[in-house]
Amino acid sequence: AQSVTQLGSHVSVSEGALVLLRCNYSSSVPPYLFWYVQYPNQGLQLLLKYTSAATLVKGINGFEAEFKKSETSFHLTKPSAHMSDAAEYFCAVSDLGSYGKLTFGQGTILTVHP
Amino acid sequence: DAMVIQNPRYQVTQFGKPVTLSCSQTLNHNVMYWYQQKSSQAPKLLFHYYDKDFNNEADTPDNFQSRRPNTSFCFLDIRSPGLGDTAMYLCATSRAGKTDMNTEAFFGQGTRLTVV
């Protein structure tokens, strides 16, 4: 069964600093990978997705992620953090043939300091 | 122009008293999902509908049931809620299929259920 590991349950950065949130997946075949963001007491919003079209994926709000098959990783980055980026971020995986069912990582809470 | 709407946003129910959460969508997606998210945890899939076909996850308790009367609506019924069922319940939809690569899921705002 596929699984997702997010390294670091909490990440803290200063406003304007680089954001790096780590995600590694375990799957026997290249999966579909997603990053979602969740603000307190809200649902999940899709930031970006990888579906084998391009390894570098650009998403909303200046976020991007790179699929590295050799490292089984899909890390999320943003060059310059903004206060409004403070939220919880979930990496998720879905396999072809699974009707879009998502398996989530444990989440990373991003704190942005002024 | 909300696309996946969950009602209510907050629900308090008594231990053992049946409760129903609702979800509607304007996207005409064929797949609908229910996820449970406990405090400080990742969302966990309870079940999904592919059109009218109901698919239960192996570890979903029997206490949880679902109904999908038409494409737009899906309900989560908890027959006898326990204190451990306190959680955020998230409804999502997608156009995913067995060979469909478009597996992006759209989530509602969630219903925060508290069992007292």
Side-chain angles (χ1 to χ4, degrees):
Chain A
Q2 73 249 23
S3 65
V4 177
T5 302
Q6 291 183 238
L7 296 176
S9 58
H10 289 80
V11 170
S12 180
V13 300
S14 298
E15 191 173 20
L18 170 72
V19 175
L20 171 61
L21 305 182
R22 300 178 187 273
C23 173
N24 288 89
Y25 68 90
S26 170
S27 177
S28 57
V29 296
Y32 303 129
L33 292 159
F34 307 83
W35 275 99
Y36 283 87
V37 61
Q38 186 177 35
Y39 297 97
N41 289 314
Q42 299 289 321
L44 287 91
Q45 180 184 12
L46 181 70
L47 282 176
L48 47 81
K49 62 181 178 181
Y50 167 76
T51 56
S52 76
T55 56
L56 182 62
V57 181
K58 293 189 183 298
I60 63 171
N61 301 339
F63 285 93
E64 64 181 36
E66 186 172 8
F67 174 73
K68 292 187 176 180
K69 184 179 177 180
S70 60
E71 299 176 7
T72 60
S73 69
F74 190 58
H75 301 331
L76 181 71
T77 61
K78 182 174 180 177
S80 177
H82 192 272
M83 296 295 289
S84 61
D85 295 326
E88 188 161 18
Y89 292 78
F90 290 96
C91 182
V93 64
S94 179
D95 283 337
L96 181 66
S98 68
Y99 298 98
K101 297 190 298 182
L102 294 169
T103 299
F104 288 90
Q106 285 300 99
T108 298
I109 296 173
L110 176 67
T111 303
V112 182
H113 296 289
Chain B
D1 55 343
M3 294 179 289
V4 182
I5 303 164
Q6 292 189 242
N7 283 303
R9 290 292 313 280
Y10 300 90
Q11 175 77 54
V12 179
T13 192
Q14 289 182 336
F15 181 93
K17 184 175 181 181
V19 65
T20 295
L21 311 181
S22 73
C23 177
S24 63
Q25 55 137 335
T26 60
L27 298 164
N28 203 34
H29 284 171
N30 58 329
V31 190
M32 294 188 78
Y33 317 83
W34 281 103
Y35 288 86
Q36 179 192 60
Q37 185 180 23
K38 294 186 177 180
S39 181
S40 302
Q41 295 185 21
K44 181 175 179 295
L45 183 67
L46 294 173
F47 26 60
H48 77 277
Y49 273 95
Y50 176 68
D51 291 328
K52 293 183 178 180
D53 294 333
F54 176 73
N55 297 272
N56 205 26
E57 293 300 297
D59 55 355
T60 297
D62 292 339
N63 200 24
F64 290 83
Q65 303 286 320
S66 185
R67 296 171 283 135
R68 189 179 186 186
N70 53 52
T71 300
S72 300
F73 286 87
C74 195
F75 300 97
L76 170 62
D77 301 308
I78 308 177
R79 292 191 296 188
S80 182
L83 299 179
D85 297 328
T86 291
M88 172 79 92
Y89 290 87
L90 297 163
C91 174
T93 73
S94 81
R95 287 191 284 117
K98 232 181 177 353
T99 57
D100 192 346
M101 290 180 62
N102 193 348
T103 59
E104 174 183 343
F106 292 81
F107 283 81
Q109 295 286 67
T111 294
R112 182 165 292 283
L113 176 69
T114 303
V115 182
V116 297

